[in-house]
Amino acid sequence: MYTNLVDRFIKYVKIETRSDETSQTVPSTQSQVEFAKVLMKDLKDIGLSEVDYNENNGFVTATLEANSQVEAPTVGFIAHMDTADFNARNVNPQFIEDYDGTDIVLNEELGVILSPNDFPNLKNYKSQTLITTDGTTLLGADDKAGIVEIISAVEYLLNHPEIEHGKVRLAFGPDEEIGAGADRFDVEQFNADFAYTVDGGPVGELQYESFNAAGAKVHIQGKNVHPGTAKNQMVNALTLAMKLNEQLPELEVPEHTENREGFFHLTSMSGTVEEAELSYIIRDHDRKKFEKRKQLLINAIDQLNESFDQKRLTIEMKDQYYNMREVIEEDMRAVEVAQKAMESLKIDPIIEPIRGGTDGSKISFMGLPTPNLFAGGENFHGRYEFVAVESMQAAAEVIQKIIELVVQ
């Protein structure tokens, strides 16, 4: 049905588009700019209008013009161009046809095996065609699967003008993986009534509830003296770092939480006796619990500072995004249409909170309700990433059905 979907996906994942958290440019890497040019050409070639690249935010946008006389909402579809912080050069996709449910040797030389013993989700894909990595890179289905699914759906509608549809807006943006891309998204210019990010996992995922999220950096100023004469003089910044982390709830960390349980996640710790730095991310679906978590970390720092005659620990904390449910539940059209589309295609909607966030988490708070649809990939952000061809086709079908239902 979507004849160009797989070829386009392979073409896109071979283009390196890794984002860079340390960069000060927009987008954060030039490779994303180059990929945007490829996308613009492809979007023009299939016949979309208003194809544009916004140099202020790095987004490629395009329009599928309405062919129906029925007045209908404008629906948008959004996906991101960048890949995560893992090797993304020389991506070499492998095809596993009619998967039999056993171990997949990704790289014999390196001993990299994709096994259902480690990843039970593989058992859901027996008899399907999997696209995997070669064990040395990520795949890039997050989120190039989303991009090609959106393009395939609108391309099909362009080639079948007998199917009535309203106006559809497309946006492909940078730097989602470093949490910066959506900050500059131009909702007014996009001009949609509601939208979807196509950035989820397995078939059926429909998500409109995300974490509230914050990032915190803690700086610790120690006092280094010779260890032989250190009594009552040395202040070891590394020891203080460990004491701070011990003040936080031991089991409220990613490896011990699930569903709507929030957490503190120590993502990095470095330093010497003289100085140390810790980075945390703080997550919770409940806004009140989220605020309490942030305050708990601040209180722990204040308590440790009381032990000294000067402030040894300082913190910089910044909210990153909020639970998009707060916005979307005020206008549930996007969720209702997506649910109806899946059910009409015999796909069971999986409506669960995201233990993370999407660009929609920010865009929803800009005034555009934007839940998240499945893109089909699994095991994102590493060498074990894979996607089934059947999953990508299903996502394209759901996108197309949503577009049709908006008019109906």
Side-chain angles (χ1 to χ4, degrees):
M1 183 174 179
Y2 303 109
T3 55
N4 297 320
L5 187 152
V6 174
D7 289 344
R8 189 175 281 131
F9 177 71
I10 298 302
K11 170 185 171 182
Y12 289 174
V13 298
K14 289 186 175 182
I15 301 172
E16 191 272 321
T17 57
R18 187 173 174 178
S19 47
D20 180 4
E21 191 172 16
T22 66
S23 172
Q24 300 300 310
T25 64
V26 179
S28 65
T29 52
Q30 183 62 29
S31 62
Q32 293 181 82
V33 179
E34 298 305 316
F35 183 47
K37 294 176 183 177
V38 173
L39 286 175
M40 290 181 69
K41 181 181 184 305
D42 289 352
L43 296 173
K44 290 176 181 176
D45 286 348
I46 67 172
L48 293 175
S49 63
E50 299 180 314
V51 178
D52 180 64
Y53 177 72
N54 187 327
E55 293 186 357
N56 294 321
N57 61 20
F59 274 83
V60 174
T61 53
T63 301
L64 172 66
E65 298 292 353
N67 67 359
S68 173
Q69 300 303 311
V70 177
E71 186 174 339
T74 298
V75 60
F77 294 92
I78 302 166
H80 64 88
M81 299 185 290
D82 64 319
T83 58
D85 188 20
F86 193 85
N87 181 27
R89 293 185 180 275
N90 302 314
V91 173
N92 180 32
Q94 300 187 104
F95 284 81
I96 312 298
E97 297 184 0
D98 193 20
Y99 173 57
D100 63 6
T102 62
D103 288 359
I104 300 171
V105 179
L106 299 179
N107 192 302
E108 186 172 2
E109 182 180 350
L110 298 177
V112 181
I113 298 173
L114 179 61
S115 172
N117 294 326
D118 300 320
F119 303 102
N121 50 339
L122 277 167
K123 297 175 183 177
N124 300 324
Y125 296 93
K126 285 189 69 173
S127 302
Q128 298 188 33
T129 297
L130 304 186
I131 306 176
T132 73
T133 76
D134 68 358
T136 64
T137 70
L138 50 65
L139 180 60
D142 180 16
D143 188 28
K144 287 167 183 171
I147 293 174
V148 300
E149 291 153 6
I150 295 168
I151 295 175
S152 292
V154 297
E155 181 180 34
Y156 186 87
L157 292 170
L158 283 165
N159 292 334
H160 292 82
E162 72 277 8
I163 301 174
E164 285 194 31
H165 58 81
K167 186 175 182 179
V168 181
R169 291 284 283 154
L170 281 60
F172 304 125
D175 296 335
E176 190 270 353
E177 297 292 359
I178 59 173
D183 291 344
R184 297 179 176 84
F185 185 73
D186 191 335
V187 168
E188 184 176 352
Q189 183 267 342
F190 193 55
N191 195 26
D193 292 286
F194 56 86
Y196 304 88
T197 51
V198 185
D199 192 20
V203 170
E205 280 192 350
L206 171 57
Q207 300 157 323
Y208 67 96
E209 183 176 358
S210 63
F211 274 138
N212 297 287
K217 290 190 176 182
V218 180
H219 180 264
I220 303 175
Q221 183 62 56
K223 181 180 180 183
N224 193 10
V225 297
H226 191 283
T229 57
K231 186 175 181 179
N232 299 326
Q233 295 186 62
M234 178 184 286
V235 178
N236 192 323
L238 292 171
T239 301
L240 276 178
M242 291 187 288
K243 285 183 178 179
L244 173 62
N245 198 58
E246 289 170 357
Q247 299 298 312
L248 303 177
E250 181 182 1
L251 297 181
E252 294 181 16
V253 291
E255 56 266 42
H256 291 292
T257 52
E258 61 183 352
N259 301 324
R260 285 185 171 83
E261 295 171 337
F263 57 74
F264 299 90
H265 182 29
L266 177 61
T267 59
S268 68
M269 180 170 66
S270 62
T272 62
V273 173
E274 182 71 17
E275 285 185 280
E277 283 199 346
L278 301 90
S279 294
Y280 287 92
I281 60 173
I282 302 167
R283 301 289 189 264
D284 211 297
H285 288 95
D286 184 280
R287 181 72 79 98
K288 290 182 180 179
K289 292 180 180 179
F290 172 63
E291 296 298 334
K292 286 182 179 179
R293 287 189 184 282
K294 293 192 295 180
Q295 192 60 49
L296 180 60
L297 180 57
I298 292 170
N299 291 346
I301 289 171
D302 290 343
Q303 184 178 354
L304 286 171
N305 275 328
E306 289 176 2
S307 305
F308 303 99
D309 56 1
Q310 67 180 84
K311 186 179 287 188
R312 293 281 179 186
L313 297 90
T314 56
I315 183 171
E316 294 181 9
M317 187 181 296
K318 181 180 179 182
D319 288 356
Q320 296 166 322
Y321 57 83
Y322 301 110
N323 188 344
M324 57 188 176
R325 178 174 182 167
E326 293 182 31
V327 174
I328 294 173
E329 65 184 359
E330 296 179 3
D331 181 359
M332 291 287 285
R333 285 180 299 172
V335 176
E336 291 165 356
V337 172
Q339 187 171 358
K340 186 176 180 181
M342 290 186 195
E343 290 170 347
S344 71
L345 295 167
K346 311 300 182 186
I347 296 172
D348 293 329
I350 304 169
I351 302 178
E352 296 176 345
I354 311 170
R355 286 186 62 78
T358 69
D359 279 342
S361 302
K362 293 184 178 180
I363 294 170
S364 292
F365 278 88
M366 296 176 180
L368 178 63
T370 308
N372 189 43
L373 294 173
F374 71 90
E378 299 234 36
N379 300 353
F380 292 153
H381 297 187
R383 69 183 80 245
Y384 300 105
E385 184 181 6
F386 70 90
V387 66
V389 172
E390 291 84 352
S391 298
M392 290 195 291
Q393 291 172 339
E397 289 176 357
V398 169
I399 293 165
Q400 180 187 326
K401 182 61 69 173
I402 288 171
I403 295 169
E404 294 176 28
L405 289 176
V406 167
V407 170
Q408 295 172 18

